[in-house]
Amino acid sequence: MNLTVVGTGYVGLVTGTCFAEMGNRVVCVDVDADKVEGLKQGKLPIYEPGLDPLVLRNAEQGRLRFTTSLADAMERCEVFFIAVGTPPGEDGSADLKYVQAVAHEIGGLLQQYAVIVDKSTVPVGTAELVRKTIQDQLDKRGVEVDFDVVSNPEFLKEGAAIEDFMKPDRVVIGSDSDKARELMRQLYAPFNRNHERTLFMGVRDAEMTKYAANSMLATKISFINEIANLCEKLGVDVENVRKGIGSDSRIGMSFIYPGCGYGGSCFPKDVQALIRMADNVDFNAGLLKAVELRNDKQKGWIAARVKDRFGEDLRGKTFGLWGLSFKPGTDDMREAPSQVLLAELFEAGARVLAYDPIAMETARHELPATWFEEGSLVLTSHQYDALQGVDAMLLVTEWKPFRNPDLEAMKRLMKQQVIIDGRNQYDPKLIREAGFEYAGVGRLNHD
């Protein structure tokens, strides 16, 4: 098929590339000329394992190309994917100005029947807004062109997006048009070879499914963090509790790992947006508000343990931070717990040496320049360089190289042998036997 994907961010680039890999002819459109030029040269704007070779191969073989002009991508296009950003507004609701802008432009250019797909995460009712925007432009042009608007939300995990797209748990397609459903069924047929994964439903149902899925996962994280904090008060090891409840098939082990909170571009934004949707229809989403509140508090867990150990005034103290991205497998630092931790440590007068396997460039560009200029934050070239003379090691992101550290080397490097484990990666008994003080989320933290 001939496809156009508008937006070359995380969702758009993965979507366009994976469809091209299955033999479709894909044009990716973006208003950022520098980004498009970089993509033409094989320079990707995001980090995602396995994506680079796919982009290069499909571009070289002519199935994937990049442009700044939607008009150039219109000819013979059968399906348009809208994959632009929907950043949270001041009140937490999704800002649809970029989605509307794309719909407006499509309406001004559309010549033949096409399916317009909302791939971005958008509130319930957005497909109706997109349809109206396109139809208004067609009316202004005085032309009659048939089209359908479909909701096809993405369920990609950063760090595993290629696998998720190529072997999806499900493909959700919201449409009331038989013609559009058949076109989308054909498009996704190569991804359904083993068994049918496509779920057809109403447009509004599909829009809600995306928000409900992410909010459910966020709820599991906040629930286990709530339990972990209670375990700390009651002298209970949450790791045993986690295994005890996770072995129940109704609950499962996924997303019940205590830690210092969730971040990224999806969970925080989507929970907020769903709360705003509820507010707009006079429904009090009390559970979702509690999920958000627990996560906000949880991001302060490491800083609180630091102050418990070293006091409120951290002047003269230096801490080694392992992990900056919001999770392993990505350079994304949006809403990352590391940002909250750094701000709290610097406010208390501390200095930080930090290391991340992938997110160092992101940190240089996204963190406040004053942190670097004042010498409060130093990014190191190796994980053990971040421990030279520090008063404690703070684990924020559970990258694989951090999971089995050289404890003897750490003892030699660190000024004080203290480990504050914000992701419960270490066995408290082994760490203490090696001569370290240890604190984990909901672990038995007293020697």
Side-chain angles (χ1 to χ4, degrees):
M1 288 189 188
N2 295 298
L3 313 177
T4 295
V5 179
V6 185
T8 60
Y10 189 85
V11 173
L13 189 55
V14 171
T15 297
T17 302
C18 289
F19 276 133
E21 179 70 7
M22 287 299 188
N24 298 285
R25 291 174 294 277
V26 181
V27 180
C28 290
V29 182
D30 202 291
V31 296
D32 188 331
D34 290 337
K35 184 189 289 187
V36 168
E37 187 58 35
L39 285 164
K40 288 179 178 179
Q41 297 174 16
K43 300 175 183 176
L44 274 60
I46 61 172
Y47 172 79
E48 176 61 34
L51 184 59
D52 291 64
L54 285 183
V55 171
L56 292 173
R57 179 168 67 244
N58 284 281
E60 288 171 357
Q61 296 178 0
R63 293 190 298 268
L64 180 65
R65 66 184 183 91
F66 305 96
T67 180
T68 58
S69 172
L70 182 58
D72 290 345
M74 296 292 292
E75 186 177 356
R76 298 172 58 207
C77 181
E78 299 163 87
V79 183
F80 294 87
F81 286 89
I82 300 177
V84 294
T86 54
E90 291 184 4
D91 64 349
S93 61
D95 188 341
L96 297 177
K97 63 183 176 184
Y98 301 119
V99 172
Q100 285 185 274
V102 175
H104 186 277
E105 190 171 3
I106 290 174
L109 296 169
L110 197 63
Q111 299 291 342
Q112 70 278 332
Y113 174 81
V115 173
I116 290 82
V117 180
D118 285 333
K119 198 67 175 172
S120 304
T121 301
V122 293
V124 174
T126 299
E128 296 160 17
L129 176 63
V130 168
R131 167 171 283 283
K132 182 179 185 304
T133 301
I134 294 172
Q135 189 60 55
D136 286 348
Q137 291 306 301
L138 292 174
D139 293 344
K140 286 181 181 179
R141 291 167 56 199
V143 297
E144 291 186 12
V145 180
D146 191 22
F147 68 95
D148 286 304
V149 179
V150 166
S151 175
N152 174 216
E154 54 84 16
F155 298 97
L156 306 177
K157 299 186 294 292
E158 291 192 41
I162 304 300
E163 180 77 7
D164 287 345
F165 200 101
M166 294 297 193
K167 299 178 180 179
D169 291 329
R170 76 288 205 197
V171 176
V172 172
I173 297 174
S175 175
D176 300 318
S177 162
D178 290 339
K179 187 175 182 179
R181 288 187 178 201
E182 182 56 32
L183 195 63
M184 295 299 288
R185 187 193 300 277
Q186 293 175 21
L187 179 60
Y188 276 104
F191 304 93
N192 290 313
R193 293 295 185 188
N194 292 333
H195 63 274
E196 182 62 51
R197 296 179 173 91
T198 305
L199 302 174
F200 288 105
M201 58 185 69
V203 176
R204 294 171 72 90
D205 303 340
E207 291 169 335
M208 185 63 172
T209 297
K210 169 65 177 182
Y211 282 101
N214 278 353
S215 295
M216 180 69 225
L217 297 176
T219 298
K220 291 187 74 173
I221 294 170
S222 283
F223 172 80
I224 197 63
N225 282 334
E226 185 98 326
I227 294 299
N229 281 276
L230 181 58
C231 285
E232 287 185 22
K233 299 288 187 181
L234 296 175
V236 174
D237 191 337
V238 75
E239 181 65 10
N240 293 324
V241 176
R242 181 186 70 80
K243 292 175 182 177
I245 65 174
S247 59
D248 186 327
S249 60
R250 297 169 299 174
I251 298 171
M253 290 291 187
S254 297
F255 289 86
I256 58 167
Y257 291 89
C260 52
Y262 60 76
S265 62
C266 294
F267 288 5
K269 176 173 69 73
D270 292 352
V271 170
Q272 288 179 8
L274 195 51
I275 291 171
R276 295 292 87 75
M277 277 188 264
D279 290 343
N280 289 338
V281 292
D282 296 321
F283 179 78
N284 180 18
L287 175 60
L288 295 176
K289 292 175 182 177
V291 168
E292 183 179 42
L293 179 61
R294 165 44 57 202
N295 193 59
D296 289 344
K297 290 181 177 179
Q298 202 67 20
K299 289 182 179 180
W301 183 89
I302 295 180
R305 299 293 82 73
V306 168
K307 291 176 181 178
D308 286 345
R309 173 60 177 77
F310 298 99
E312 294 289 328
D313 186 352
L314 299 177
R315 285 176 293 182
K317 302 296 181 184
T318 301
F319 300 98
L321 189 152
W322 280 3
L324 291 163
S325 59
F326 84 93
K327 71 171 190 175
T330 180
D331 63 349
D332 194 343
M333 289 185 60
R334 286 174 287 184
E335 301 284 343
S338 63
Q339 298 210 47
V340 175
L341 172 61
L342 289 169
E344 291 193 39
L345 293 178
F346 296 150
E347 186 178 358
R351 181 171 176 266
V352 173
L353 308 180
Y355 173 79
D356 188 285
I358 296 296
M360 304 290 266
E361 262 323 293
T362 304
R364 290 187 181 95
H365 287 99
E366 295 189 6
L367 296 179
T370 53
W371 290 358
F372 299 101
E373 293 165 358
E374 296 170 355
S376 299
L377 176 61
V378 176
L379 302 181
T380 67
S381 58
H382 192 278
Q383 69 187 76
Y384 291 103
D385 291 342
L387 302 183
Q388 187 67 52
V390 301
D391 294 284
M393 186 276 272
L394 316 178
L395 181 70
V396 184
T397 314
E398 64 277 30
W399 286 94
K400 288 181 180 177
F402 303 158
R403 294 183 181 179
N404 191 24
D406 184 338
L407 296 177
E408 288 304 314
M410 292 175 67
K411 287 177 70 175
R412 291 193 300 269
L413 290 167
M414 297 171 68
K415 180 180 178 181
Q416 298 190 63
Q417 284 71 51
V418 179
I419 293 176
I420 299 179
D421 182 359
R423 295 297 179 186
N424 284 6
Q425 290 299 292
Y426 306 129
D427 183 330
K429 182 179 179 181
L430 292 178
I431 296 297
R432 292 186 180 119
E433 287 177 350
F436 290 84
E437 296 178 44
Y438 175 85
V441 185
R443 306 306 302 269
L444 293 175
N445 291 328
H446 303 289
D447 293 322

